[in-house]
Amino acid sequence: SAVISQKPSRDICQRGTSLTIQCQVDSQVTMMFWYRQQPGQSLTLIATANQGSEATYESGFVIDKFPISRPNLTFSTLTVSNMSPEDSSIYLCSVEEYGPADTQYFGPGTRLTVL
Amino acid sequence: AQKVTQAQTEISVVEKEDVTLDCVYETRDTTYYLFWYKQPPSGELVFLIRRNSFDEQNEISGRYSWNFQKSTSSFNFTITASQVVDSAVYFCALIPSNFGNEKLTFGTGTRLTIIP
């Protein structure tokens, strides 16, 4: 399976600032996803990031708040803008691999705390 | 729309006991995939198994086994002879077979604590 890394692994930020999270994959993948996991909750899909086109956002998430870049087939970034304490969550990227076992694999996550 | 229900919010068992985590799903798609993921305290989501809707064979991998029953829309996960390292949150998930529009629907997770 693909090896996925995320930076930073964790951060503590001040209200009103922005943080950019990086996701790097060791192989080329078509589809990358960004999820949010609020404390004690399940995972919620923020958006699908496709190379060469704009990200597709889920209901309740907007590009101004969560801009996403996908410059190539191995890299994506998610920015959490104008942060508030409600943005404190784990943010995970995932990639989908096709083949005998089409599966989404997840990165290690970025644990964000907003003060 | 899809829905995945994990009714057990938290389970605690003593080490070496067997434990079963329940997962019930709803979907209108005839072809779909079911998954289990493990999330240890570190936060990473670890893939455990993928099962397609046409394959109702039970699967065993070491101490882990999965029971897929289409008739009851369930995909339960059993850990035999549990160990402390099994302590984690376990998520069941479903995705329809609609290539190009795949979205994983997660259950709310079951927090499993293995007591030494």
Side-chain angles (χ1 to χ4, degrees), chain B:
Chain B
Q2 282 68 234
K3 185 178 179 181
V4 177
T5 301
Q6 295 179 256
Q8 304 152 308
T9 306
E10 295 190 25
I11 301 176
S12 294
V13 300
V14 177
E15 195 173 17
K16 297 184 183 177
E17 287 185 353
D18 299 347
V19 58
T20 296
L21 309 182
D22 298 332
C23 174
V24 175
Y25 62 91
E26 297 175 28
T27 180
R28 293 182 179 177
D29 294 276
T30 55
T31 304
Y32 50 89
Y33 300 94
L34 295 163
F35 300 82
W36 276 95
Y37 289 89
K38 173 183 179 180
Q39 187 175 42
S42 59
E44 181 177 0
L45 215 64
V46 178
F47 165 74
L48 295 178
I49 189 172
R50 168 188 179 272
R51 172 67 73 214
N52 76 54
S53 53
F54 294 116
D55 184 1
E56 288 193 69
Q57 271 192 319
N58 291 333
E59 178 150 346
I60 299 175
S61 175
R63 296 184 297 106
Y64 295 170
S65 63
W66 291 269
N67 183 350
F68 176 33
Q69 291 195 344
K70 236 175 165 177
S71 60
T72 56
S73 297
S74 65
F75 186 42
N76 297 336
F77 173 29
T78 297
I79 301 175
T80 304
S82 59
Q83 300 177 2
V84 173
V85 294
D86 296 327
S87 296
V89 180
Y90 291 85
F91 290 97
C92 181
L94 177 148
I95 196 168
S97 178
N98 183 11
F99 294 109
N101 192 27
E102 297 87 349
K103 295 180 184 178
L104 266 175
T105 298
F106 283 88
T108 50
T110 298
R111 181 177 298 277
L112 175 64
T113 302
I114 308 300
I115 304 166

Side-chain angles (χ1 to χ4, degrees), chain A residues 50-71:
Chain A
N50 297 309
Q51 195 266 339
S53 62
E54 296 246 336
T56 303
Y57 289 83
E58 296 301 303
S59 176
F61 298 95
V62 295
I63 187 172
D64 290 345
K65 174 68 176 177
F66 297 101
I68 288 171
S69 77
R70 180 82 194 273

Side-chain angles (χ1 to χ4, degrees), chain A residues 44-95:
Chain A
T44 302
L45 180 64
I46 297 172
T48 302
N50 297 309
Q51 195 266 339
S53 62
E54 296 246 336
T56 303
Y57 289 83
E58 296 301 303
S59 176
F61 298 95
V62 295
I63 187 172
D64 290 345
K65 174 68 176 177
F66 297 101
I68 288 171
S69 77
R70 180 82 194 273
N72 56 53
L73 293 174
T74 64
F75 186 78
S76 178
T77 67
L78 168 75
T79 299
V80 186
S81 304
N82 188 23
M83 288 184 286
S84 66
E86 291 71 37
D87 294 319
S88 297
S89 299
I90 298 175
Y91 292 86
L92 299 110
C93 72
S94 76
V95 303

